[in-house]
Amino acid sequence: MRLLLPLAALLALPSPAALAQTAPAPPVAAPNPAGIVNVTVTTNWGPIVIAIDKEHAPITAANFLKYVDQKRLDGENFYRAVKIQPGYGFIQFGTGNDPKRTLPPIPHEPTSKTGLSHKDGAISMAMGRPGTASGDFFIIVGDLSTMDATATDPGYAVFGHVVSGMDIVHRIMDAPTSPTRGEGLMKGQMLEPAIKVQTVRHSPALPAAPAPAPTPSVG
């Protein structure tokens, strides 16, 4: 339905000429900060763009980018959704320990070292214990900073965050799961059907902001 302004409001609007003089310039995308590489995970439900933090998590970021560069995640799935409570949990994707696609495990890079955290949209490494993480990854929904490292718990290894596509993440989080599939703690957490990962590719770098136009002199 089209909404109509009252006559008084219409009369109070500035003229088109005034709008042209006073309207702010549209925002310009800033370039990626140093050490950030954008990657697009294209699913059959849409794209998720993730900023990979090579500066703060160099070991874990380099591992993920190897999977991207070697196209090892193409055709894989989001296969797990852990629903802790409404608005909190995570979704998991990756090679599922497929020996044909999984690279050797990497050293653990805890959040106490990287300064990153399991906040909404963070991407982190799936693992059984420190030093076993390889080709499976999960994206956080909500604030799960309880998964960060502490003095007595190594936690998990965050290496980036979602910058676009959290609506897709939420859709996957809310997708149906099988009541019987999965082993141990994972029983009831396996997506049915799984959500296909079509491709994982480097995203184009954001353009640098152009220099502002010179202000014309008056007089």
Side-chain angles (χ1 to χ4, degrees), residues 26-32 205-210:
V28 179
N32 280 348
L206 293 175

Side-chain angles (χ1 to χ4, degrees), residues 118-129:
H118 290 83
K119 299 296 180 71
D120 191 45
I123 183 170
S124 189
M125 293 293 306
M127 65 177 186
R129 62 185 184 278

Side-chain angles (χ1 to χ4, degrees), residues 81-124:
V82 178
K83 307 170 186 182
I84 299 172
Q85 63 183 41
Y88 290 87
F90 59 85
I91 60 174
Q92 188 167 319
F93 73 107
T95 62
N97 294 320
D98 179 350
K100 295 181 180 179
R101 291 194 175 228
T102 305
L103 295 170
I106 59 172
H108 183 51
E109 202 167 34
T111 56
S112 55
K113 178 180 179 180
T114 64
L116 305 177
S117 183
H118 290 83
K119 299 296 180 71
D120 191 45
I123 183 170
S124 189

